[in-house]
Amino acid sequence: HKSSNNNNNNMSNTTTNNMKNDLPPIVFIHGWKASILVDKNSGDEKFAYKFSQIMFGTGSDHLLDLPMKWEDFSNGKQVKDDLVPSEPTKYVQCGCGTITMAKLYGPLLDHLQCNLGRDVRPFVYDWRRELGEAVQQLEL
């Protein structure tokens, strides 16, 4: 009799695992200023939250200024610079980048992927630009 219960448990675990795989992916969309921006040519990180930026307002926000030129002024399409989003910000680190000061999206993304076994697809966008541009990218 015990053997039959074990078989049922194995079957329910298999069914549960199959249901996780059959579920649609989770599209994760971060909030404002919550993606890491990198130089599209070099891959160098240009913006990621550092504790000093949050607490003391230090940092290089002026490097994040968008070009004040438009490709076509009539449709409001602004020229792009060399910064592109790479991934959601998972943790806030100290200015030296070695100590984690706060958790942002890291624990949530880890939980969804590892603990729930879900297919998570982060959608990263350049939060400096108009949201309409991000919507168009998301719809593609």
Side-chain angles (χ1 to χ4, degrees):
H1 194 264
K2 246 184 180 182
S3 159
S4 127
N5 282 341
N6 285 341
N7 287 340
N8 287 341
N9 285 339
N10 289 340
M11 184 185 288
S12 68
N13 286 341
T14 302
T15 304
T16 302
N17 288 338
N18 286 340
M19 286 179 13
K20 288 179 188 176
N21 293 335
D22 291 340
L23 293 172
I26 295 173
V27 177
F28 175 80
I29 303 173
H30 60 81
W32 184 66
K33 278 195 167 183
S35 66
I36 296 173
L37 299 177
V38 299
D39 184 292
K40 70 179 177 184
N41 302 309
S42 67
D44 292 342
E45 189 176 281
K46 297 297 181 184
F47 180 86
Y49 272 117
K50 302 286 187 230
F51 183 71
S52 60
Q53 290 171 312
I54 294 170
M55 291 301 293
F56 308 113
T58 65
S60 54
D61 276 356
H62 69 281
L63 297 176
L64 300 174
D65 292 345
L66 289 171
M68 294 306 295
K69 298 179 182 177
W70 279 255
E71 290 176 12
D72 180 2
F73 193 74
S74 64
N75 71 5
K77 192 167 185 176
Q78 192 172 18
V79 172
K80 294 186 182 233
D81 58 12
D82 288 339
L83 296 183
V84 294
S86 64
E87 64 179 329
T89 302
K90 295 177 180 177
Y91 302 95
V92 175
Q93 296 179 323
C94 68
C96 62
T98 59
I99 300 171
T100 298
M101 305 298 288
K103 300 173 184 176
L104 286 179
Y105 295 125
L108 173 62
L109 293 171
D110 290 345
H111 175 73
L112 292 172
Q113 291 171 330
C114 299
N115 297 344
L116 299 182
R118 293 294 302 272
D119 178 16
V120 179
R121 299 181 189 179
F123 172 75
V124 292
Y125 63 93
D126 187 339
W127 40 265
R128 303 169 306 148
R129 302 191 64 82
E130 180 177 335
L131 286 176
E133 290 181 26
V135 170
Q136 288 176 348
Q137 292 170 357
L138 180 62
E139 289 175 348
L140 299 176

